[in-house]
């Protein structure tokens, strides 16, 4: 029995170590643990964004601390958080205790990030979140600043603002459908993956949509990793929905879009579909993903002077458009600037400088709120609405919203089978 238990412990440890990859650098590097589900696109975004930034910073000599240049060393930490929260906690503990990470960035699934956040705070490690949207992660900073001040959210905008953008996009499409197709009352199906970050979104949507003059015909909650949503789509069609309000951060976004396009259900998809942020989305859906409209962070439009150069560099190097978890690129640059202003790696000193961040970032002007959340709104980070049109992911929002129109935005298009269905 003792021999079997020992073997199990060895195997468990080996699995976690295999999940971690450390490039060989010399001494006196600044070690940054990049946390993410590396077998999924969200983790790829974490790693790719951080890699691009680290290479840029190192090519310029590194980070200046006390007059000396120090290279950035990335630690790739596969948290496996889609499948196991304990795996995520084990991985971040190893990143800190065994591999001596100086700083942390990334994280995706709120349920896992909440625990990882506590581990980082226990060790007073600055953790720049680039994936989890739940407001509580930053509310903890407001309620217990001394413990949680080492947490900052770089991306995405939190769930409350995601919902606002969601409703703006949904309202825009509803208005287009009502006007162009002469539909007196728009019916909406809510299809949201089963995950904690979606709870406030689903709850608010059920209350808000009727206030916007729309009817909610049902709520469906498939698994985040479902490979077949045919039953849900059939139910949505039977319910007579004109719009499907989506909220997907995981792989379920691909079978949803593919099956929706194959079945040509006369309902327009609007909302969040992280898979649709990927360059490979169109091919992954067999070309059926056209007309999918999703909230996005990046597109090849001029949000700031930094956006298009970053987008092009990322696409050229990785063959993919950056999804929002690639905000680790931004995280490393603001961390570099804060370290250099603090002239120290001391977490408390760097926190004080991070709080002063005001940067024309790749997704908009980046300024942190008092509870260390990314500021949302005109003049700051707004988020984008992007729609697949003829195999290209085009930015369709904002277009005149609060006086904001980014150079390169194009008009939204209704799927032709919907137009044909309602004009019969």
């Amino acid at each position: 029995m003792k021999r079997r238990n020992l073997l199990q412990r060895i195997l468990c440890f080996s699995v976690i170590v295999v999940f971690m990859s450390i490039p060989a650098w010399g001494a006196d590097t600044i070690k940054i643990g990049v946390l993410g589900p590396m077998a999924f696109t969200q983790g790829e975004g974490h790693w790719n964004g951080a890699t691009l930034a680290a290479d840029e910073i190192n090519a310029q000599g590194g980070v200046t601390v006390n007059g000396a240049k120090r290279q950035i060393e990335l630690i790739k930490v596969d948290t496996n958080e889609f499948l196991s929260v304990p795996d995520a906690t084990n991985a971040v503990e190893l990143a800190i205790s065994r591999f001596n990470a100086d700083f942390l960035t990334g994280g995706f699934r709120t349920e896992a990030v909440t625990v990882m956040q506590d581990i980082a705070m226990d060790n007073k490690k600055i953790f720049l979140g680039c994936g989890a949207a739940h407001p509580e992660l930053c509310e903890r900073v407001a309620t217990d600043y001394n413990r949680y001040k080492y947490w900052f959210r770089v991306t995405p905008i939190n769930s409350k603002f995601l919902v606002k953008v969601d409703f703006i996009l949904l309202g825009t499409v509803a208005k287009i459908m009502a006007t162009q197709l002469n539909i007196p009352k728009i019916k909406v199906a809510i299809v949201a993956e089963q995950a904690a970050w979606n709870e406030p979104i689903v709850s608010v949507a059920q209350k808000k949509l009727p206030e916007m003059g729309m009817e909610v015909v049902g709520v469906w909650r498939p698994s985040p990793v479902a490979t077949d949503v045919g039953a849900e789509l059939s139910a949505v069609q039977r319910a007579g929905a004109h719009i499907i309000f989506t909220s997907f951060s995981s792989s379920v976004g691909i079978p949803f879009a593919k099956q929706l396009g194959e079945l040509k259900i006369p309902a327009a998809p609007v909302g969040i579909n992280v898979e649709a942020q990927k360059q490979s989305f169109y091919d992954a859906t067999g070309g059926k993903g056209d007309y999918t409209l999703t909230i996005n962070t990046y597109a090849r439009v001029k949000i700031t002077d930094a956006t298009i150069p970053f987008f092009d560099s990322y696409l050229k190097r990785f063959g993919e458009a950056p999804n929002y978890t690639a905000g680790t690129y931004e995280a490393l640059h603001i961390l570099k600037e804060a370290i250099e202003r603090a002239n120290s790696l001391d977490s408390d000193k760097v926190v004080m400088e991070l709080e002063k961040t005001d940067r024309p970032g790749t997704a908009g002007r980046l300024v942190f709120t008092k509870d260390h959340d990314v500021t949302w709104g005109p003049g700051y980070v707004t988020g984008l609405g992007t729609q697949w049109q003829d195999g290209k992911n085009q930015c369709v929002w904002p277009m005149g919203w609060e006086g904001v129109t980014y150079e390169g935005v194009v008009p939204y298009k209704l799927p032709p089978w919907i137009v044909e269905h309602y004009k019969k």
Side-chain angles (χ1 to χ4, degrees):
M1 181 63 74
K2 288 183 178 179
R3 180 182 175 84
R4 188 172 64 184
N5 289 341
L6 176 61
L7 180 60
Q8 287 174 338
R9 289 199 296 272
I10 291 172
L11 287 172
C12 179
F13 180 76
S14 299
V15 168
I16 295 170
V17 170
V18 166
F19 287 157
M20 310 186 73
S21 169
I22 305 176
W25 287 101
D28 296 328
T29 58
I30 297 173
K31 296 181 178 180
I32 300 177
V34 182
L35 314 171
M38 297 302 172
F40 295 85
T41 183
Q42 293 80 3
E44 290 175 1
H46 286 130
W47 184 246
N48 291 346
T51 299
L52 192 60
D55 286 354
E56 287 179 1
I57 294 168
N58 289 339
Q60 295 170 0
V63 183
T64 303
V65 186
N66 289 322
K69 288 285 190 181
R70 298 177 64 171
Q71 296 277 294
I72 288 177
E73 177 183 344
L74 299 181
I75 305 170
K76 189 175 187 178
V77 185
D78 189 342
T79 55
N80 195 34
E81 58 199 82
F82 278 138
L83 305 177
S84 169
V85 171
D87 277 2
T89 59
N90 290 338
V92 72
E93 283 175 347
L94 274 176
I96 294 171
S97 62
R98 184 175 177 83
F99 297 100
N100 302 316
D102 297 300
F103 302 97
L104 302 168
T105 188
F108 182 72
R109 179 65 69 217
T110 295
E111 294 89 330
V113 173
T114 301
V115 182
M116 291 192 288
Q117 184 189 45
D118 275 324
I119 295 170
M121 301 305 107
D122 288 343
N123 290 276
K124 296 187 177 181
K125 294 291 181 184
I126 290 175
F127 185 177
L128 299 170
C130 294
H134 202 289
E136 185 181 351
L137 292 166
C138 290
E139 290 169 358
R140 287 174 140 187
V141 179
T143 56
D144 191 350
Y145 178 83
N146 286 335
R147 171 168 171 74
Y148 289 101
K149 63 184 177 184
Y150 307 103
W151 163 266
F152 291 80
R153 177 164 27 224
V154 177
T155 185
I157 55 177
N158 76 43
S159 296
K160 294 178 182 176
F161 300 128
L162 285 173
V163 170
K164 286 189 175 183
V165 176
D166 257 353
F167 291 152
I168 292 170
L169 295 178
L170 195 153
T172 300
V173 174
K175 186 176 181 180
I176 291 171
M177 292 187 77
T179 303
Q180 294 187 11
L181 305 179
N182 196 29
I183 298 174
K185 190 177 184 68
I186 296 295
K187 298 179 180 179
V188 181
I190 300 171
V191 183
E193 67 185 23
Q194 190 70 52
W197 71 275
N198 257 331
E199 301 308 326
I201 292 178
V202 172
S203 177
V204 172
Q206 288 177 286
K207 180 182 178 183
K208 182 72 175 177
L209 295 183
E211 294 175 0
M212 294 171 67
M214 292 178 260
E215 177 185 350
V216 177
V217 296
V219 178
W220 287 266
R221 305 294 303 272
S223 162
V225 292
T227 57
D228 185 346
V229 290
E232 287 86 350
L233 287 172
S234 295
V236 166
Q237 186 169 18
R238 287 195 299 273
H242 303 110
I243 291 175
I244 304 176
F245 185 52
T246 61
S247 208
F248 304 138
S249 67
S250 304
S251 56
V252 66
I254 290 178
F256 168 84
K258 183 178 181 181
Q259 291 178 293
L260 181 68
E262 288 173 343
L263 296 170
K264 293 193 183 304
I265 293 173
V270 182
I272 300 171
N273 188 339
V274 172
E275 290 290 340
Q277 298 172 2
K278 296 174 62 179
Q279 197 73 13
S280 58
F281 173 76
Y282 188 75
D283 290 338
T285 61
K288 303 298 182 183
D290 253 348
Y291 307 103
T292 298
L293 172 57
T294 180
I295 288 179
N296 211 331
T297 301
Y298 299 112
R300 201 178 186 284
V301 292
K302 187 177 180 181
I303 303 174
T304 71
D305 289 340
T307 309
I308 291 178
F310 163 68
F311 189 95
D312 288 349
S313 295
Y314 191 101
L315 183 60
K316 181 180 180 181
R317 178 159 179 178
F318 303 111
E320 272 285 357
N323 62 27
Y324 77 89
T325 58
T328 48
Y329 174 89
E330 203 70 49
L332 261 66
H333 278 286
I334 64 172
L335 180 61
K336 170 187 181 292
E337 293 170 357
I339 290 171
E340 291 185 338
R341 289 197 300 270
N343 198 29
S344 172
L345 299 184
D346 179 82
S347 290
D348 289 298
K349 293 179 180 177
V350 176
V351 163
M352 292 174 65
E353 295 303 323
L354 282 169
E355 290 175 340
K356 300 174 184 174
T357 297
D358 188 346
R359 189 173 194 271
T362 53
R365 180 185 170 197
L366 181 59
V367 176
F368 290 114
T369 62
K370 288 184 178 178
D371 57 359
H372 295 183
D373 209 345
V374 59
T375 304
W376 175 81
Y380 296 94
V381 175
T382 61
L384 305 174
T386 60
Q387 184 189 29
W388 282 89
Q389 299 179 357
D390 300 323
K392 295 181 180 178
N393 200 15
Q394 303 277 17
C395 183
V396 298
W397 185 88
M399 182 181 274
W401 170 76
E402 298 290 338
V404 179
T405 299
Y406 298 131
E407 186 178 318
V409 174
V410 303
Y412 170 83
K413 289 183 179 179
L414 282 172
W417 62 86
I418 292 181
V419 176
E420 183 179 349
H421 178 85
Y422 287 105
K423 284 197 170 181
K424 284 181 179 177

